C-alpha cells in the first residue's frame, strides 16, 4: 500500500454491535487506543468530527476497526466506565462497534518494515464523524 491510500471499510457489512470475543478467537490489538470523538452530555448534542494518526504498536493482520465508549462518571473526578473489550479475550457484558475491512491489511511497526512491492501499514489516519440528524457515527481510514 502507498502512503495516503484509503483502507477500505466494508460498505456492505453493517457495523456489528457485539463483544469482540463473539467475533472469533485471537483478538489482538495492533494500535494504541485513541480518542476520536468527545460528547459532553451536559450540553445539547451536536454533529461533530474528529481525526488522529494511529501508529501500529504490534505486527499482525487487521480485519476490523473496533470502537467503544468511555464515560467519565463525574465531571470533577477521574472515575471512568468503559465498554472496551477485555485484552484477555474473555467474554464480557460490554459491547463494542466492529466495522469490518473489505480486505485484511498487514500491519507492521515502522522499525521492522523492509522495502518491497507491497508495503505493510505502519500508521493510519483515522477519522470519525457523528451525524446528529441520523444518529450515525461513520469512520474512514487512510494509510499514513
Amino acid at each position: 500500500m502507498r502512503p495516503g491510500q484509503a483502507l477500505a471499510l466494508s460498505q456492505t457489512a453493517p457495523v456489528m454491535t457485539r463483544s469482540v470475543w463473539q467475533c472469533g478467537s485471537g483478538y489482538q490489538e495492533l494500535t494504541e487506543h485513541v480518542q476520536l470523538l468527545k460528547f459532553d452530555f451536559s450540553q445539547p448534542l451536536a454533529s461533530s468530527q474528529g481525526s488522529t494518526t494511529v501508529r501500529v504498536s504490534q505486527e499482525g493482520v487487521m480485519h476490523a476497526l473496533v470502537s467503544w465508549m468511555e464515560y467519565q462518571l463525574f465531571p470533577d473526578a477521574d472515575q471512568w466506565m468503559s465498554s472496551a473489550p477485555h485484552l484477555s479475550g474473555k467474554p464480557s457484558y460490554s459491547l463494542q462497534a466492529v466495522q469490518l475491512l473489505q480486505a485484511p491489511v498487514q500491519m507492521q511497526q515502522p522499525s521492522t518494515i523492509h522495502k518491497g512491492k507491497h508495503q505493510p501499514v505502519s500508521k493510519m489516519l483515522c477519522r470519525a464523524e457523528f451525524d446528529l440528524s441520523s444518529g450515525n457515527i461513520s469512520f474512514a481510514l487512510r494509510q499514513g
Side-chain angles (χ1 to χ4, degrees):
M1 297 193 76
R2 297 179 316 277
Q5 184 174 351
L7 302 175
L9 292 169
S10 176
Q11 300 304 313
T12 58
V15 174
M16 299 180 291
T17 305
R18 59 186 61 205
S19 289
V20 169
W21 67 268
Q22 294 173 305
C23 297
S25 62
Y27 166 70
Q28 178 183 26
E29 291 187 0
L30 303 177
T31 66
E32 73 265 10
H33 296 184
V34 296
Q35 177 178 301
L36 285 172
L37 295 172
K38 185 175 183 176
F39 300 100
D40 182 350
F41 292 116
S42 67
Q43 301 294 320
L45 202 53
S47 293
S48 62
Q49 60 187 7
S51 65
T52 190
T53 298
V54 183
R55 300 191 190 291
V56 173
S57 58
Q58 186 167 328
E59 183 177 330
V61 178
M62 181 178 168
H63 296 90
L65 173 72
V66 178
S67 57
W68 58 86
M69 299 287 285
E70 293 183 335
Y71 305 91
Q72 187 174 12
L73 300 177
F74 304 100
D76 299 327
D78 194 26
Q79 294 178 329
W80 293 81
M81 185 175 83
S82 176
S83 66
H86 287 283
L87 288 177
S88 65
K90 292 181 180 179
S92 72
Y93 64 89
S94 62
L95 300 176
Q96 297 82 44
V98 180
Q99 175 69 59
L100 298 175
L101 297 178
Q102 288 181 350
V105 176
Q106 179 65 42
M107 309 293 279
Q108 199 166 9
Q109 291 176 292
S111 61
T112 61
I113 291 179
H114 303 287
K115 298 288 182 194
K117 185 176 179 182
H118 298 288
Q119 289 291 312
V121 175
S122 63
K123 64 182 177 177
M124 305 174 288
L125 177 64
C126 188
R127 179 179 167 84
E129 185 172 330
F130 171 68
D131 180 3
L132 179 63
S133 64
S134 68
N136 290 328
I137 297 177
S138 59
F139 297 97
L141 295 174
R142 185 169 295 281
Q143 182 180 358

